[in-house]
Amino acid sequence: MKFSRVLLALVLVMAGSGLAASPAAAATEHKVPKHKVTYDKYSLMLDGRRILVQAAEFHYFRLPSPDLWRDILEKEKAAGFNAISLYFDWAFHSPKPGVYDFTGVRDVDRLLRMADEVGLWTIVRPGPYINAETSGGGFPAWLKTVPGRARSSAPGYTAAYREWLAQINPIIAEHQVTRGGSVLLYNVENEYAVNTDAAYMQDLQDLARAAGIDVPITTNLCCDAADWSSTWASGLGAVQIPGVDDYPQSFDCTNAGKVWGPWGTGITERVREDSPVYAAEYQGGAIDLNNAGYDKCRELTGVDYTRYFPKSNLILSGATALSYYMGYGGTNWGWLAQPNDVYTSYDYGAAITEARQLTDKYQEYKRQGYFLRAAAGSLTKTDVTTAPTAEGLNTAARINPDDQTQFVLVRNEGVDQVSSTLNWGGHALPVTLPGHDAKVLVGGYRMGGQHLVTGTSEIMTHETVAGRDIALLYGRDGTAGTTILRYPARPRVTVLDGKVRTSYDPATGDLRLDYTHQGLARVLVSGGGPRPLLLLLGTDATAAQFWRADTAAGPVLVRGTDLLRSATVSRGVAALRADTAAAGPVEVFADARAISVNGSPVATARRTASGSLLGSLPGPRAVHLPALSGWRQHAEAPEAAPGFDDSRWTVAGKDTSLSLFQPVTLPVLFSDEYGFHTGSVWYRGRFTASGGETAVSLNAITGKRGNYLVWLNGQYLGSAAGGVELDSEEPRNPNPGPGRFTVPAGLLEAGKPAVLSVLVQNMGHNDDWTADDNRFRQPRGLVGGLVEGATAPITWRIQGTGRIDPARGGMNNGGLYGERAGWSLPGFDDRAWARAAATVPAGVTWLRTGFRLDLPKGQDTSVALRFDGPPPAGHRVIFYLNGWQLGQYGADIGPQTDFVLPAGLLREDGRNALAMAVIATGPATVSTPRLVVVGSQRGGVPVRTVPAPERL
Ligand code: IPT
């Protein structure tokens, strides 16, 4: 039974790929398995060794510059993450049925290889449905015209997703850890817990197995167990490791500072008894549902939140596989956004900003991430145990049954600071927690060669460097800390820096250190145990100055720089790859005599009393950006003119569609029915006038933020807002985006031909999180059109995106005339265009300019395009940097005024072209944007220009 299903799936995969046996599949047969992935109820294991998976979610499709993928991966790794979680967006790769692209910015093979090079595992999530606020939730819009309920085992849908999986699975399979690559877990579907179809869920897994996927299969459930119709823990469709998504702070960023975990418990539930607890998506930011701006989302899910909820989750759930959504959000460039939830930026208020800058939240992840890494040996196998108590504080604990290490969560649930005493193992430890703070404390722990009895400072990391242990502990600035270590013989204790009281009890062997967390105290302990210890006692801020990296010669610990990307130690030289945002000290703890940074020796380096090397580093050079001037302007929208030749446009004449939404008038004008899925769509309706026409009555669905503009016989009649997402309670809302436009007297003459021209902004497609076709198949474009008083029928033609750009892809461009004519592209010759005026008429106007950059080499400068002042009502701007559509600006779209221009698309050393399509609902004054520096650090990764056509 099982075998035959697998065999069938294999046959179908091969049929779908159009190859008898793909070269990838043939090659793998000769590959020897490299690693084995197993698991039990405590944790995953790699070759029998327990591992703690610490992942951050990353969407390659939201960063269209593959060299910069490495920047993000290195930054995640530097925060202590050992994995990234990756959605693969079907729609991003497939503009048409049967057409798939995995090159350039879509080269996921390169992405998986890169993750491996950087030293990160990957959790791959190829859907087919991914949600993720991406257009269609990852479903290509062409799927709307394929019969059969999506996310079910209906034949039409089945054939479609098998086509996708036949493409993506072999790429993933090649990169599994079992073949020496990065893929550790394979996640099927996404929050698939309502309207479920077990046969479909099973088929996804059978296809994966047939494609050679042999790592454990997971899924992610959300967020409230009460809503689950299946947990996929047993029976048909069961996965090996079901995970849970938790978003304790929800998504209303206007609530920043006002809410504290109102949504669910925020604690990951155990779904299967025989597999580890997996926090598949733990909230690491938020979508900006109510246009508060992403700074507010970062505040909603800021350092306080991150100190409290993830730590609580760790101890209360016992999860040993964790992923934060998002680690880096990125950009909804082109028409990638699912418009009802997001606009161009998908910054997400994440720890790494859209402009790739590190935030305070990043530093909090780093403090926790380093700890998880250091303690993984004990933390990957724990059971609940009785917690020590502290009056006024909430405690919980876990214990490792083998080595007896205890992990104690101490939380202050209130808003006021609490000072109390933690009674732990016969010790009375003073402990102070500010409001809404949490600590994870460790006791009975082998800290390298040291024995940590107990304490109230959190461990950030401990490393063994050159035969000596270095432990970095920390606590909130100004709070008391105690650390108790045990030594068989009285050790020598030297306080190198700061104020630390020490006492040794020969009866117990306990060395007790009491101090107040302030700056960075340094204590040398030697002669008591197998190895000397350098104890570093910091605050949140001074602990965050540290970075760690592994080298073939053991770990190195670095204080200073703004990012340690990697390190090597050879011939006595510790060679760092590091970024600096300002000139400053660098202190290196390594088995080395000298330091180099980014290939340059640090001549100033001297040995310190702590045994480290201390030198100084230069900061970045000043960056000069040119002013944007010399704009040229050209009027567009010839489609509005009656004499425009639309004879090559597609005739819109269908009278049925698969959408549950019924057209308001016939024929069906839904743009997807005619193969136009992306951005602007034009309609031209011809009829013979009666002379008695009074009004044009239209209706359009665009998704949130969209609109449409109307002309009759070349005369502009006005605009209306497009309809938004269907209400699931009212799926057949007959009047989603109405617009009624009076026909001016004398415009139409009886018996003469008349032309109605309509430009509709389709903002992106609905997702399918309810797994019913209702939402996802909702149309885009006109859904009704009639002329009141007309006697003759209207014949309609439609035009959208022209030829698909081979590099920028099917989601970069819509069907504006200028887009079809190549005006957005860098090589377009605009010399015949007039100098720009500040004003534009209603309709579409293009503006273009060029600028030359010469940014400092060996320096990572993040540049953005800034529009000053609040986004305007009455017009919207779609802009293209070197042909790449990188943003949409306007009051109807969102609060965004800064748009990131990623290096690779931005030519840091050369000429750049900027084009803007202005769509105005009335005469408007357009303010042109300027270039701004968002951040600049010496260092960075090498970035090459992403190749793409210069002209049509
Ligand atoms: C969760 C989705 O799985 C993920 O794709 C994304 O949409 C995220 O939400 C929000 O950004 S599920 C949601 C109901 C919490």
Side-chain angles (χ1 to χ4, degrees):
M1 168 66 194
K2 183 81 197 265
F3 175 73
S4 64
R5 191 188 296 124
V6 169
L7 199 67
L8 177 69
L10 186 66
V11 168
L12 285 164
V13 165
M14 286 179 162
S17 71
L19 296 167
S22 72
T28 59
E29 281 160 20
H30 307 291
K31 280 209 173 177
V32 185
K34 294 283 182 5
H35 296 288
K36 209 168 164 204
V37 189
T38 54
Y39 62 88
D40 63 9
K41 70 167 182 166
Y42 292 113
S43 76
L44 279 153
M45 286 170 269
L46 194 65
D47 302 326
R49 185 176 53 88
R50 291 192 180 282
I51 55 174
L52 201 157
V53 180
Q54 305 167 241
E57 181 84 19
F58 171 62
H59 298 160
Y60 65 92
F61 45 88
R62 288 185 159 120
L63 182 55
S65 180
D67 286 330
L68 289 181
W69 296 344
R70 187 181 297 272
D71 179 55
I72 300 301
L73 300 189
E74 288 185 345
K75 283 172 174 162
E76 299 296 7
K77 167 112 180 180
F81 290 105
N82 58 19
I84 48 163
S85 173
L86 300 165
Y87 275 137
F88 294 86
D89 183 348
W90 180 6
F92 185 66
H93 295 272
S94 179
K96 288 182 187 160
V99 178
Y100 287 85
D101 181 6
F102 293 94
T103 64
V105 300
R106 294 170 179 73
D107 189 348
V108 294
D109 177 71
R110 182 169 171 201
L111 172 70
L112 292 172
R113 204 173 340 115
M114 208 183 267
D116 192 34
E117 286 162 10
V118 171
L120 291 166
W121 290 312
T122 56
I123 300 169
V124 295
R125 311 207 290 162
Y129 183 72
I130 61 170
N131 209 62
E133 292 77 56
T134 181
S135 184
F139 281 159
W142 56 255
L143 193 64
K144 289 185 184 183
T145 60
V146 173
R149 183 163 72 82
R151 308 176 79 184
S152 81
S153 47
Y157 173 67
T158 302
Y161 76 72
R162 285 184 179 173
E163 183 185 285
W164 159 243
L165 293 176
Q167 296 281 336
I168 192 73
N169 276 343
I171 302 174
I172 290 171
E174 270 301 285
H175 288 279
Q176 295 175 96
V177 292
T178 49
R179 298 182 192 174
S182 64
V183 178
L184 184 71
L185 295 172
Y186 180 97
N187 190 85
V188 290
E189 255 288 345
N190 191 80
E191 299 185 335
Y192 187 52
V194 287
N195 291 320
T196 50
D197 177 336
Y200 161 57
M201 193 66 169
Q202 186 62 50
D203 189 50
L204 298 178
Q205 298 175 61
D206 293 346
L207 289 174
R209 295 303 186 213
I213 307 286
D214 53 9
V215 296
I217 293 182
T218 68
T219 196
N220 58 312
L221 297 153
C222 183
C223 302
D224 189 347
D227 300 337
W228 298 340
S229 60
S230 175
T231 58
W232 306 117
S234 60
L236 191 68
V239 300
Q240 291 171 292
I241 307 177
V244 176
D245 301 348
D246 289 294
Y247 290 81
Q249 292 286 80
S250 194
F251 303 104
D252 185 354
C253 304
T254 61
N255 273 336
K258 287 180 262 172
V259 293
W260 192 248
W263 198 28
T265 56
I267 303 302
T268 309
E269 314 205 13
R270 170 172 283 284
V271 185
R272 255 185 99 141
E273 284 310 318
D274 58 352
S275 65
V277 176
Y278 170 34
E281 289 178 24
Y282 204 84
Q283 183 165 25
I287 47 174
D288 186 15
L289 269 189
N290 295 318
N291 285 350
Y294 283 109
D295 287 345
K296 285 283 174 195
C297 301
R298 209 174 330 276
E299 198 184 321
L300 180 75
T301 59
V303 174
D304 288 355
Y305 159 81
T306 309
R307 253 199 291 257
Y308 190 87
F309 286 91
K311 284 181 193 174
S312 303
N313 187 47
L314 180 77
I315 299 303
L316 298 178
S317 78
T320 55
L322 309 148
S323 186
Y324 292 100
Y325 190 103
M326 299 288 307
Y328 168 81
T331 308
N332 291 307
W333 64 281
W335 296 94
L336 202 66
Q338 178 267 80
N340 302 324
D341 290 335
V342 290
Y343 43 88
T344 300
S345 175
Y346 198 73
D347 176 275
Y348 217 82
I352 304 175
T353 69
E354 184 188 6
R356 300 181 294 103
Q357 306 300 300
L358 308 184
T359 63
D360 290 350
K361 181 155 81 179
Y362 176 92
Q363 301 299 351
E364 177 56 29
Y365 278 124
K366 186 173 78 170
R367 286 185 287 265
Q368 293 185 33
Y370 282 19
F371 164 64
L372 295 182
R373 187 196 169 282
S378 296
L379 201 46
T380 41
K381 186 178 179 186
T382 62
D383 297 311
V384 172
T385 187
T386 316
T389 55
E391 209 186 314
L393 297 169
N394 190 296
T395 56
R398 305 188 75 86
I399 188 164
N400 181 304
D402 301 334
D403 68 14
Q404 303 296 313
T405 302
Q406 295 165 61
F407 297 92
V408 177
L409 172 71
V410 186
R411 291 193 291 174
N412 180 354
E413 290 179 313
V415 292
D416 299 322
Q417 176 161 310
V418 171
S419 290
S420 181
T421 304
L422 182 66
N423 302 297
W424 188 1
H427 297 277
L429 307 169
V431 63
T432 297
L433 267 92
H436 284 174
D437 197 1
K439 291 179 180 225
V440 175
L441 303 175
V442 187
Y445 178 59
R446 284 214 68 76
M447 189 169 69
Q450 320 294 321
H451 179 171
L452 174 67
V453 179
T454 179
T456 57
S457 299
E458 294 189 270
I459 297 174
M460 179 155 153
T461 190
H462 54 87
E463 315 286 347
T464 305
V465 178
R468 182 177 74 159
D469 287 330
I470 304 175
L472 173 59
L473 276 49
Y474 69 100
R476 294 288 284 270
D477 196 3
T479 61
T482 303
T483 297
I484 300 177
L485 298 157
R486 187 165 294 163
Y487 295 100
R490 180 187 291 271
R492 262 195 320 279
V493 181
T494 317
V495 178
L496 299 172
D497 246 320
K499 272 197 237 148
V500 179
R501 295 182 306 281
T502 67
S503 60
Y504 181 74
D505 178 353
T508 58
D510 285 358
L511 172 71
R512 178 172 172 139
L513 302 99
D514 288 286
Y515 43 88
T516 299
H517 289 284
Q518 225 155 38
L520 183 70
R522 304 179 185 225
V523 184
L524 210 51
V525 182
S526 58
R531 287 200 283 269
L533 167 71
L534 175 68
L535 190 62
L536 303 170
L537 302 165
T539 62
D540 281 13
T542 56
Q545 292 170 346
F546 282 86
W547 302 90
R548 71 170 308 286
D550 288 304
T551 77
V556 301
L557 195 64
V558 173
R559 186 179 66 89
T561 81
D562 293 281
L563 171 70
L564 177 64
R565 292 178 182 273
S566 66
T568 55
V569 178
S570 133
R571 295 201 192 102
V573 180
L576 314 182
R577 285 176 59 238
D579 288 12
T580 52
V586 60
E587 182 177 4
V588 179
F589 300 85
D591 194 358
R593 283 172 279 105
I595 328 168
S596 77
V597 173
N598 301 334
S600 305
V602 180
T604 50
R606 300 284 174 272
R607 187 71 66 187
T608 70
S610 300
S612 56
L613 291 163
L614 179 66
S616 59
L617 293 178
R621 277 154 289 165
V623 177
H624 302 287
L625 294 176
L628 296 180
S629 59
W631 290 91
R632 289 178 183 274
Q633 180 169 331
H634 197 66
E636 205 230 57
E639 298 91 338
F644 179 80
D645 178 9
D646 60 18
S647 59
R648 293 216 297 247
W649 286 18
T650 305
V651 173
K654 296 193 180 185
D655 51 18
T656 57
S657 103
L658 295 172
S659 175
L660 295 185
F661 181 87
Q662 296 305 304
V664 178
T665 61
L666 286 174
V668 171
L669 296 173
F670 309 168
S671 61
D672 297 299
E673 293 293 335
Y674 303 98
F676 302 119
H677 307 299
T678 307
S680 309
V681 173
W682 275 99
Y683 293 87
R684 282 170 56 91
R686 293 173 184 275
F687 59 99
T688 304
S690 70
E693 286 83 358
T694 52
V696 174
S697 177
L698 298 173
N699 211 309
I701 304 182
T702 57
K704 208 166 152 183
R705 312 170 208 271
N707 68 356
Y708 58 101
L709 279 64
V710 184
W711 290 261
L712 184 61
N713 274 1
Q715 185 165 332
Y716 180 64
L717 298 188
S719 71
V724 185
E725 180 173 20
L726 285 180
D727 189 333
S728 48
E729 264 77 69
E730 209 190 327
R732 287 153 199 260
N733 172 3
N735 201 18
R740 189 169 181 277
F741 308 90
T742 306
V743 175
L747 182 65
L748 301 184
E749 226 180 294
K752 292 276 166 65
V755 185
L756 191 59
S757 299
V758 186
L759 171 62
V760 184
Q761 294 303 303
N762 289 344
M763 300 304 290
H765 300 274
N766 287 359
D767 57 32
D768 189 34
W769 64 274
T770 40
D772 58 13
D773 273 2
N774 200 12
R775 183 184 308 270
F776 144 72
R777 280 192 209 272
Q778 182 188 318
R780 289 293 182 263
L782 286 181
V783 296
L786 57 85
V787 180
E788 295 169 22
T791 50
I794 308 176
T795 58
W796 290 95
R797 284 179 185 266
I798 179 171
Q799 173 66 56
T801 312
R803 142 185 173 281
I804 288 166
D805 187 300
R808 301 175 184 95
M811 296 174 101
N812 191 62
N813 293 103
L816 289 175
Y817 183 88
E819 291 181 292
R820 302 194 318 268
W823 297 1
S824 61
L825 295 173
F828 177 76
D829 185 354
D830 59 20
R831 279 173 301 181
W833 288 16
R835 292 274 162 212
T839 56
V840 299
V844 187
T845 307
W846 283 70
L847 281 86
R848 285 179 55 99
T849 191
F851 60 94
R852 181 173 284 285
L853 288 183
D854 181 14
L855 299 181
K857 310 272 180 313
Q859 188 163 322
D860 183 353
T861 301
S862 185
V863 178
L865 191 68
R866 173 171 297 167
F867 292 86
D868 290 305
H875 74 272
R876 61 183 59 213
V877 175
I878 305 174
F879 81 87
Y880 310 79
L881 173 74
N882 297 322
W884 298 83
Q885 202 249 85
L886 292 184
Q888 300 187 40
Y889 165 70
D892 291 345
I893 293 165
Q896 191 175 355
T897 54
D898 279 17
F899 295 83
V900 173
L901 308 179
L905 304 188
L906 184 71
R907 297 165 190 169
E908 300 186 283
D909 180 15
R911 260 204 93 61
N912 291 274
L914 191 61
M916 308 201 301
V918 181
I919 301 172
T921 56
T925 304
V926 177
S927 65
T928 51
R930 61 197 168 97
L931 299 171
V932 293
V933 176
V934 188
S936 192
Q937 298 88 28
R938 195 180 276 263
V941 295
V943 180
R944 287 156 297 174
T945 297
V946 179
E950 288 288 300
R951 51 187 68 80
L952 281 188

